[in-house]
Amino acid sequence: MKGVGPQKGELLRKEVGIFTFRDLLEYFPFRYVDRTRVTKITSLHMQLDYVQVKGRIVHMEVMGDKRAKRLVARLQDDTGTLDLVWFQGWQWMQKSLREGVQYLVFGKIAVFNGNLQMSHPEMDLLTENIADGKRHRSRCIPLPKN
């Protein structure tokens, strides 16, 4: 197929099970995630899969030492707080994020030491283009089979 080289072809075969052009045409999303909904932090629980939260970064801290460093940012809305964690690329995120600014955050909820957290979330600076928590890029995201 034009545009699919040996490396991409190998990745499609190994990761997704696509061997032919027909396999690609018949590869449908497993399900969709509605990104028009914004969930309050107090409503978060482990049974939720991917969620979108709107809040303000109130604190950022680099934790750990040497190779185990990570960035932890505390996101707060009017109902509670949620820890956002980056283990990789944390230096870039630390430079990109600003305390006191509102973000629209999307990711998977987890619990660590009894606290809710979201690792490596997608972050959008809340602007007029993303009014009322509605993403301007896309509102319904297809998810492939894992």
Side-chain angles (χ1 to χ4, degrees), residues 39 41-49 51 109-111 116:
T39 305
I41 291 175
T42 55
S43 299
L44 298 177
H45 53 82
M46 286 298 297
Q47 284 70 36
L48 293 172
D49 199 11
V51 294
I109 294 297
V111 174
L116 288 176

Side-chain angles (χ1 to χ4, degrees), residues 76-89:
Q76 182 176 25
D77 69 4
D78 58 343
T79 67
T81 61
L82 170 69
D83 286 338
L84 309 175
V85 183
W86 291 268
F87 300 98
Q88 298 163 350

